[in-house]
Amino acid sequence: MLVQIVLFDGVDPLDAIGPHEVFAAASQYTPGPLTAELATVGAARPVLSGTGVTLHAQAALDPGRADILIVPGTAGSMAEDAAEIAQRLTAALTPELHQALHTFAARADTVLAAVCGGSLLLGAAGLLTHRPAVTHRSAMARLADFGATAVPARVVDDGDLVTAGGVTSGLDLALHLVERFHGAPTAVAVETLFEHERRGVVWRANAATAG
């Protein structure tokens, strides 16, 4: 299984690194192949995050090869409102990234995921229409602008689309996906290693179960 986490200028580093760490750790506990990569559109390159920390993409984004694609949000400050952050995310949605997201979403047996404001980026790409989703609590109302149904849960699992709330919920999103594809023992092993306990409820389209 290949997990690619999309980097773009202004990305929130924790949105990206949190899930990457979870999948990297999970690869130590699962017998099947599991690889997590930080990826960018075009050639791999250094990416300046929204906090000033430079992240190094390991690979070019490959929507025809990845099994799970995770879209982080952008870093913002308390002085900024949700509209400003949404505009920054829309600016990050280049034609190349827009095409890559749609190419990936059109494939069968894949999962498109988003953390925090990454849900708004997917919405701007037209990929949330008539879908349940969550984002950072400060921007929940904006999901309706993209035709999505806002669900106030920590993680929202709609099958081939999985979204998570603000910042640290990226850990819970990744742990949920590890459990979904590699089993509860692997997810628990990673939780134990990280000394992190998932919280809240994973909302599913057919049934809500404890996360």
Side-chain angles (χ1 to χ4, degrees):
M1 171 177 282
L2 174 62
V3 181
Q4 287 200 317
I5 301 164
V6 182
L7 296 186
F8 52 84
D9 293 327
V11 68
D12 187 300
L14 184 55
D15 287 2
I17 294 299
H20 184 276
E21 285 284 295
V22 169
F23 284 107
S27 69
Q28 303 174 43
Y29 298 103
T30 182
L34 175 58
T35 302
E37 296 177 342
L38 300 176
T40 52
V41 173
R45 63 178 177 87
V47 176
L48 183 63
S49 75
T51 64
V53 174
T54 298
L55 302 177
H56 292 270
Q58 302 159 286
L61 181 62
D62 190 345
R65 189 169 62 95
D67 301 293
I68 297 175
L69 193 64
I70 300 177
V71 180
T74 185
S77 69
M78 294 300 293
E80 295 172 311
D81 61 26
E84 289 180 85
I85 293 174
Q87 289 174 356
R88 191 182 308 143
L89 286 164
T90 301
L93 185 63
T94 62
E96 293 79 11
L97 179 55
H98 186 282
Q99 181 59 53
L101 292 173
H102 278 267
T103 297
F104 180 82
R107 290 175 51 215
D109 301 320
T110 61
V111 173
L112 181 60
V115 180
C116 198
S119 297
L120 302 182
L121 194 152
L122 294 186
L127 293 169
L128 294 187
T129 306
H130 306 308
R131 304 294 297 266
V134 65
T135 186
H136 191 282
R137 67 182 63 181
S138 67
M140 287 289 283
R142 295 196 63 85
L143 289 173
D145 297 341
F146 303 116
T149 300
V151 178
R154 180 77 165 170
V155 175
V156 174
D157 185 336
D158 193 33
D160 61 353
L161 175 69
V162 182
T163 54
V167 196
T168 59
S169 64
L171 291 167
D172 292 2
L173 175 140
L175 284 164
H176 169 65
L177 290 173
V178 166
E179 180 177 7
R180 180 172 149 181
F181 290 103
H182 297 282
T186 300
V188 170
V190 176
E191 284 186 328
T192 302
L193 177 66
F194 285 11
E195 297 190 5
H196 171 77
E197 294 182 2
R198 286 176 281 176
R199 65 178 179 84
V201 168
V202 174
W203 184 96
R204 292 184 176 90
N206 296 320
T209 59

